[in-house]
Amino acid sequence: MKKHNFNAGPCILPKSAIENTAKAVLELDGIGMSLIEISHRSKEFQAIMDEAVALFKEQLNIPENYQVLFLGGGASLQFCMIPFNLLNKKAAYLETGVWAKKANKEAKLFGEVNIVASSSDKNFSYVPKTYTIPADSDYFHITTNNTIYGTELHTDLDSPVPLIADMSSDILSRPVDVSKYAMIYGGAQKNLGPAGVTFVILREDILGKVERAIPTMLDYRTHIKEGSMFNTPPCFAIFTVRETLRWIKSLGGVGKVYEMNKAKAKLLYGEIDRNSMFKGTAEKEDRSLMNICFVMNEKYQDKEDAFMELAKSRGMVGIKGHRSVGGFRASCYNALPIESVQALVDCMQEFEKMNA
Ligand SMILES: *Cc1c(COP(=O)(O)O)cnc(C)c1O
């Protein structure tokens, strides 16, 4: 049976990216060797790395004065690398979910952390809008998409200090004005590729301003200087990222992908709002295009397992909500076809006919 992959991450990837990666694992471009058995210093791999960086710059419209790095350690290592490299005295953080909290926890090891606003009072079901960013902060950190709670910042904020964004779960899902950010980063395993590679887009002029010594591997300048090859990079994962970027380009770019994402979200949120058995958990204006969270209405609380069973029988995978929200979460990343969203909507309608 066809599966509809709503996994939150790792998650669905473009079919072409998976097929081309599979081929390259068997043999890379007729060179008689596998992608995973060649040197990262070979001209073949260098070409893959160069194209991945170039496509990233092209597709996200990244200005000249920014670097694109592919590192290890996941977004979680960035939670500590950011303050290590950038926090002198004070940093400001917007707290919009578990990932945002994990980020500010690490920063507290390096200096004073100012949580300018938090939506923890309502289980992170909204994105705070009114707060002041202290002008003497070394930087302001945000999480643009809150994967667990299904909220998303839909605009590029103005910040009086360098703006740093965790875009793990919405990178390349919409056009972004990169020039408004000093740094954008994330794990690749949600919209870009397999687990194992982390992307970092940064403006070099923010570096070199802290007094502490930074271990070589944790210093962004090391990786800039060595073109993400100070040590062996995650070659396999970078290959798939390149394939995903090629796919985005073939569709007509991020603007096109954004239109597709909006259409998918509209279809599913429309059904959540219409269907008498379900309701959304996130504040409407902050609803994520990527992670769509919903629960059963009070009256039907006991039907949750039954809906899960029906959905499963129709091929839905990964729609169980995170334990801190409950209910359901349908992650609708770039590669998810609208047909899968339609299949879920059909399922919800069928369930309503059976039960309401
Ligand atoms: C998944 C996720 C992370 C964690 O990424 P890792 O690469 O596993 O460390 C961080 N931030 C956000 C917003 C995420 O969705």
Side-chain angles (χ1 to χ4, degrees):
M1 183 191 14
K2 182 173 164 44
K3 297 285 186 196
H4 300 289
N5 184 352
F6 291 97
N7 280 326
C11 53
I12 190 161
L13 289 170
K15 201 159 178 280
S16 65
I18 292 171
E19 284 174 355
N20 294 340
T21 303
K23 279 187 210 141
V25 166
L26 293 175
E27 185 184 355
L28 181 67
D29 299 335
I31 67 166
M33 284 176 287
S34 164
L35 162 68
I36 56 174
E37 56 180 7
I38 60 168
S39 168
H40 58 296
R41 309 270 175 215
S42 64
K43 69 175 193 320
E44 287 84 6
F45 185 73
Q46 188 64 57
I48 292 164
M49 175 68 101
D50 292 346
E51 189 185 340
V53 170
L55 280 171
F56 217 129
K57 287 184 173 165
E58 177 186 272
Q59 293 307 306
L60 207 56
N61 223 345
I62 301 174
E64 283 290 327
N65 55 331
Y66 284 74
Q67 300 281 343
V68 174
L69 305 175
F70 291 117
L71 309 177
S76 299
L77 183 60
Q78 295 307 307
F79 296 164
C80 112
M81 268 176 83
I82 289 163
F84 219 139
N85 283 264
L86 302 168
L87 204 173
N88 246 326
K89 289 204 172 64
K90 285 165 78 171
Y93 278 73
L94 183 62
E95 192 173 85
T96 50
V98 160
W99 296 116
K101 268 175 87 162
K102 287 187 172 169
N104 71 51
K105 174 170 180 268
E106 297 306 303
K108 286 171 188 158
L109 298 170
F110 298 90
E112 189 186 328
V113 170
N114 193 333
I115 311 291
V116 297
S118 172
S119 46
S120 63
D121 58 335
K122 290 185 181 159
N123 199 29
F124 299 116
S125 58
Y126 68 102
V127 178
K129 313 258 174 349
T130 46
Y131 48 81
T132 313
I133 307 158
D136 60 348
S137 312
D138 293 320
Y139 60 84
F140 177 45
H141 181 280
I142 59 173
T143 312
T144 51
N145 185 67
N146 300 285
T147 324
I148 293 174
Y149 305 91
T151 64
E152 187 173 12
L153 253 152
H154 295 292
T155 50
D156 300 310
L157 297 182
D158 291 304
S159 167
V161 299
L163 180 63
I164 299 182
D166 175 355
M167 291 197 188
S168 292
S169 51
D170 64 348
I171 188 71
L172 292 158
S173 68
R174 63 173 170 98
V176 165
D177 180 355
V178 177
S179 70
K180 288 199 162 182
Y181 301 82
M183 175 174 164
I184 295 170
Y185 70 96
Q189 69 276 14
K190 280 143 193 162
N191 242 342
L192 271 185
V197 65
T198 312
F199 62 90
V200 172
I201 302 161
L202 64 75
R203 230 176 47 215
E204 226 171 322
D205 61 73
I206 60 172
L207 301 174
K209 294 185 177 161
V210 293
E211 277 142 39
R212 72 179 67 86
I214 306 170
T216 311
M217 260 305 274
L218 299 184
D219 191 331
Y220 291 115
R221 290 169 298 186
T222 303
H223 302 289
I224 291 172
K225 188 160 159 276
E226 302 295 334
S228 301
M229 295 228 216
F230 169 72
N231 70 323
T232 319
C235 303
F236 173 91
I238 292 168
F239 181 92
T240 311
V241 168
R242 184 195 69 170
E243 291 304 313
T244 302
L245 288 161
R246 281 182 172 180
W247 173 78
I248 290 173
K249 183 171 180 160
S250 76
L251 290 176
V254 175
K256 213 46 186 281
V257 171
Y258 184 42
E259 293 306 317
M260 291 160 63
N261 288 334
K262 281 194 287 191
K264 288 183 278 179
K266 186 166 177 241
L267 178 60
L268 185 48
Y269 283 122
E271 178 60 20
I272 290 167
D273 293 341
R274 186 211 62 77
N275 194 309
S276 61
M277 298 190 75
F278 300 94
K279 66 170 184 214
T281 55
E283 213 44 70
K284 278 192 182 166
E285 62 174 4
D286 299 325
R287 281 173 161 179
S288 169
L289 296 187
M290 296 284 97
N291 310 98
I292 299 182
C293 296
F294 55 105
V295 292
M296 296 306 321
N297 261 321
E298 279 79 32
K299 200 174 146 199
Y300 301 106
Q301 288 298 342
D302 60 328
K303 301 278 186 210
E304 199 172 299
D305 292 344
F307 179 69
M308 198 61 95
E309 278 310 306
L310 176 72
K312 240 188 217 164
S313 76
R314 297 288 187 274
M316 311 296 147
V317 176
I319 61 163
K320 192 170 173 51
H322 190 273
R323 61 187 181 282
S324 54
V325 181
F328 311 97
R329 170 175 56 175
S331 295
C332 302
Y333 294 119
N334 288 349
L336 184 86
I338 196 162
E339 290 73 25
S340 287
V341 179
Q342 186 62 55
L344 177 57
V345 166
D346 291 346
C347 217
M348 292 164 77
Q349 292 179 350
E350 186 180 338
F351 196 66
E352 186 186 34
K353 285 202 190 91
M354 286 158 56
N355 290 286

